[in-house]
Amino acid sequence: MSDDGAPPTCPLCGRPIPPDVAQSLHHLVPRLKGGKGGPVVRLHQICHNEIHATLTEAELARDYNTIAALQGHPRLARFIRWVAGRPPGFRSKTPGGRRPARRR
């Protein structure tokens, strides 16, 4: 809750995060890529799941380590438009499946 008693707002989708809704903290730079102790943001769990279904840890660290960068990713932008019309407590499996496996 904020100081005025309102629930926090998810910085990714802009919807409120009621206390009874699944939520988690997202490290803007993944812990395994040097982000331990770095900035974190509180997100709806569905938003957090979509980030990690879309991007690798390396991509997050290198190119998508701000909310603005995440919002600019084409798949995440589609997700944000989709989820924006859902109520704050909406839960679902991650839409669109996971990112394709990468060849090494």
Side-chain angles (χ1 to χ4, degrees):
M1 290 281 188
S2 65
D3 291 339
D4 63 1
T9 300
C10 177
L12 189 71
C13 72
R15 298 175 305 140
I17 308 173
D20 61 335
V21 170
Q23 55 191 282
S24 59
L25 295 176
H26 172 68
H27 287 80
L28 290 172
V29 175
R31 289 176 294 191
L32 296 175
K33 298 292 182 180
K36 185 176 180 182
V40 295
V41 292
R42 181 170 304 282
L43 303 171
H44 290 103
Q45 188 65 51
I46 189 174
C47 295
H48 198 188
N49 292 350
E50 186 65 20
I51 289 170
H52 287 285
T54 302
L55 298 162
T56 65
E57 300 282 301
E59 290 168 326
L60 286 167
R62 183 181 61 241
D63 300 320
Y64 295 97
N65 52 33
T66 67
I67 291 297
L70 290 167
Q71 291 170 328
H73 185 281
R75 176 175 160 162
L76 292 176
R78 279 191 311 274
F79 167 79
I80 292 164
R81 284 191 303 274
W82 174 79
V83 82
R86 300 330 186 250
F90 177 76
R91 293 187 325 189
S92 172
K93 291 184 179 177
T94 301
R98 297 195 56 86
R99 65 182 172 265
R102 301 201 191 273
R103 299 187 110 176
R104 293 182 184 223

